[in-house]
Amino acid sequence: MIETASSPRTHYFTFAALLILLVVTVAVAQVDLGPLNVVTALGVAALKTFLIAVYFMHLQTARSSVRVFAVVGVMWLIMLLGLLLNDYATRPLVPGAASSHHVDPDAL
Amino acid sequence: MTASVAHQFDDAEQQKHAATLGMWLFLASEVLFFGGMLAGYAVYRAAYSQAFAAGSGHLDVWLGTLNTAVLLTSSLTVALSVQAIHEDRRRLAARLLIATIVLGFLFLTVKGVEYAHKYDERLIPGRHFAFEGEQDDNLSAANVELFFSFYFALTGVHALHMLVGVAVFAVLAWQTVRGKYSSCYHTPVEVAGLYWHFVDTIWVFLFPLLYLIDSSS
């Protein structure tokens, strides 16, 4: 039987790392970095989620089948977002919306 | 008290593994439940970037930050509670679960304060929605209203998940005090903990997407 190997110390370290990342993400958001604002915000969120999943949700000691379920959950999300945004990013502009930089979803 | 093994399982270990795997499967489906809304948010945010930035500007970054810290702390108390029950420290485990419930209510209270502000500012989508200021095709009241529709749908459904979590922990804390769980059997506490951590990670994404991305512009 796989028992949780994590100790209270691991939990406190994880918690401290999460709080530091929270401060970082709020601080970085106050600076205008253009498109990089989205990238850093989502990057930090992904890192926080990774820490929570691995240490709080015990993925580091979980059986491989549980890990597969966790990874597959993320992969479905990547497929959903990736294919959808790929469609919107590459679809030719509809006539009449040529002035718009983006495709107007209501016009489709 | 030792675990009672249902007849379809070989042993307690297999039963525990099935419960854990079942929760992860449920959480994977929850990823897509929130993922659908987030996909819609991404598309409309790209299309109406100025309106979504204007709407985001009406959110209070500091209350959002406070709530994120509250939720991360509640994840710590859950993790420590699971650890405590693992070591047969029932009293500590129950106290940590109660702390989690208190933190959950604190989060929901702050959320309620934010919702009340939006009501005062007439930013609740519907016939009384009002958005003043310069407007054009992109930055129109209707498009800002769309941002707030996403805001209330996403945070509302998230808050609903938290209410469910709080109710589950109330039952678990009671059962822990009554001595139902021990180092031998504590699967419900562990599985509920997985759910709570997941709800935490949803907020970890909602917070930057709704509050932060446009806060510098």
Side-chain angles (χ1 to χ4, degrees):
Chain A
M1 184 162 174
I2 302 163
E3 287 298 338
T4 44
S6 50
S7 64
R9 233 176 107 221
T10 317
H11 291 141
Y12 286 122
F13 275 129
T14 309
F15 177 62
L18 288 169
L19 284 189
I20 290 167
L21 285 171
L22 172 62
V23 172
V24 167
T25 191
V26 173
V28 170
Q30 306 312 311
V31 187
D32 191 359
L33 298 171
L36 274 181
N37 276 122
V38 183
V39 177
T40 50
L42 290 179
V44 171
L47 193 56
K48 277 156 102 177
T49 300
F50 178 81
L51 289 177
I52 292 170
V54 170
Y55 295 108
F56 281 170
M57 296 171 89
H58 305 309
L59 271 189
Q60 95 272 31
T61 53
R63 290 198 196 185
S64 44
S65 52
V66 170
R67 289 187 201 185
V68 167
F69 274 40
V71 170
V72 164
V74 176
M75 277 181 59
W76 284 337
L77 182 68
I78 290 171
M79 278 185 226
L80 172 71
L81 292 175
L83 294 175
L84 180 87
L85 296 180
N86 174 56
D87 188 36
Y88 276 108
T90 57
R91 196 190 283 257
L93 291 177
V94 285
S99 61
S100 167
H101 197 67
H102 297 282
V103 182
D104 182 351
D106 291 334
L108 300 175
Chain B
M1 187 175 165
T2 49
S4 54
V5 181
H7 70 270
Q8 68 268 34
F9 297 111
D10 289 340
D11 50 34
E13 186 194 335
Q14 192 190 46
Q15 178 169 271
K16 184 183 178 181
H17 179 59
T20 308
L21 202 59
M23 179 47 85
W24 275 97
L25 181 62
F26 170 67
L27 296 183
S29 75
E30 288 268 86
V31 167
L32 289 184
F33 173 73
F34 281 96
M37 275 190 283
L38 289 176
Y41 178 77
V43 168
Y44 279 102
R45 193 184 170 278
Y48 306 132
S49 52
Q50 287 149 297
F52 273 49
S56 177
H58 279 274
L59 303 182
D60 190 326
V61 172
W62 301 115
L63 286 182
T65 309
L66 170 70
N67 253 355
T68 311
V70 167
L71 214 48
L72 291 174
T73 312
S74 76
S75 252
L76 174 70
T77 55
V78 168
L80 291 176
S81 176
V82 172
Q83 180 79 30
I85 198 72
H86 228 270
E87 295 162 358
D88 270 324
R89 298 162 75 182
R90 288 175 204 175
R91 203 156 258 289
L92 177 65
R95 279 193 192 134
L96 286 163
L97 286 182
I98 290 163
T100 308
I101 294 168
V102 171
L103 289 165
F105 275 123
L106 181 59
F107 178 96
L108 292 168
T109 306
V110 173
K111 203 82 230 142
V113 168
E114 288 188 82
Y115 280 6
H117 286 168
K118 299 294 159 290
Y119 180 81
D120 292 339
E121 294 176 75
R122 300 182 64 184
L123 291 173
I124 311 257
R127 57 190 298 204
H128 296 295
F129 183 88
F131 179 76
E132 273 118 43
E134 270 185 63
Q135 299 185 11
D136 54 37
D137 279 353
N138 190 307
L139 179 54
S140 66
N143 292 349
V144 177
E145 190 175 4
L146 188 61
F147 170 83
F148 280 102
S149 297
F150 275 111
Y151 169 79
F152 282 107
L154 285 164
T155 58
V157 169
H158 177 263
L160 206 61
H161 276 77
M162 293 202 48
L163 276 176
V164 170
V166 164
V168 168
F169 281 138
V171 173
L172 290 175
W174 172 248
Q175 290 176 335
T176 305
V177 171
R178 297 287 303 270
K180 187 172 179 190
Y181 304 116
S182 65
S183 57
C184 303
Y185 175 69
H186 51 266
T187 309
V189 182
E190 239 181 79
V191 169
L194 288 177
Y195 171 80
W196 190 263
H197 294 310
F198 171 80
V199 174
D200 189 7
T201 64
I202 292 295
W203 180 257
V204 159
F205 276 95
L206 291 187
F207 171 57
L209 286 173
L210 295 170
Y211 290 74
L212 287 184
I213 286 176
D214 299 303
S215 64
S216 64
S217 50

